[in-house]
Amino acid sequence: MADNIILQVTRYRPEREVEPTTQEYEIPLHEEWAVLDGLNHVKDQLDGTLSYRWSCRMGICGSCGMTVNGEPRLTCATFLTDYRPGPIRIEPLRNFPVIRDLVVEIGDFMRKLPKVKPWLIRDEDAAATDGELLQTPAEMDEYKQYSMCINCMLCYSACPIVGLEEGFLGPAAIALAQRYNLDSRDQGAHERMDVLSTAEGVWGCTFVGECTTACPKGVDPAGAIQRYKLTAAAESLRSFLLPWRSA
Amino acid sequence: MNARYTEFHPRWYRPRMPVFWWVGRRSYLIFVLRELSSVFVAWSVVFLLLLVHAVSQGGQQYQQFLNLSRNPWMLALNIVALAFLVFHAITWFTLAPQAMVVRLRGKRVPRSLITGAHYAGWALLSALAAWLILG
């Protein structure tokens, strides 16, 4: 017979509450259960009204991000036994408006992502018949780390600047811009600079570093942002000293 | 679009960042202290400029500056400033390898080497300053 553990889950039901409240559920503590399995147990067996997002259960879809004992975590990759004897506090991701219970509103994030033009930009579109754009393993290594982002928004939840500055592009969007800037097939770095080298872009970041700590995929958005600060500063200096050579 | 106003979902709960958001978490506290340390870095520059000015004005001015520096509150301020300066330098050096991607013969230089190079540079400049002053 397995032990039990208490989940303290944030509830917000806008039709009857002005502010979120906490509800406790006692669930079986199985060795192989992640926090998400615990929530699914609540939903299936104890309280069907609990709302939360999830899909793949394997750290790929990025939809089950929540705040677990104060830390932004993917609940599918966070195991109940690590929090023994409990209780475990489960809250919605921070720095986002809450729609219901553990479901946050991500429209702001979705509007920010395309601002950095996260796609391959070429000076001239080539016909498909011209063949592939070849790339060496070393060239791929330059950006591969940044392409691992699953848009789970844990970094937005961890970043105090995201909470304080509404316009800040945020860690994932800037890391995604770097994913394309550092891609040997891309020629759009100068187009992205107008968005990135601004107070709402990289210069809004004060290098707290928590985005990198929170990232479940090892993307290191803080590193991406600081690297881009160097690039942007060097570009500004170049356009000041050699105005005829800047784009 | 004004993110505060949402036509179809007026009842989203929008948590506010508490004023002391940086107190409850070690990494946030270190970050805020690091930001605060820049005030003491600025003060150190001002103090150094005052010293240079006093030296340029001759012996009496220099003596006045020394008397001012001997003041207990000035001494306390400078001890705090030194502590913040060391904190600033150490946290900065720790963060440096994250921002610097240096490649040698196609391989990325390890983090410890970049941090080490910063400390070596610090030691070298300190030794140079000590040699200039004491030598």
Side-chain angles (χ1 to χ4, degrees), chain B residues 9 15 21 41 52 74 96 111 128 134:
Chain B
H9 299 277
W21 58 268
V41 173
V52 171
M74 184 61 100
R111 295 176 64 103
L128 188 71
L134 304 172

Side-chain angles (χ1 to χ4, degrees), chain A residues 127-144:
Chain A
T129 48
D130 293 348
E132 315 90 327
L133 294 164
L134 298 178
Q135 195 165 55
T136 65
E139 285 170 333
M140 193 177 82
D141 275 347
E142 277 289 316
Y143 69 85
K144 190 178 174 204

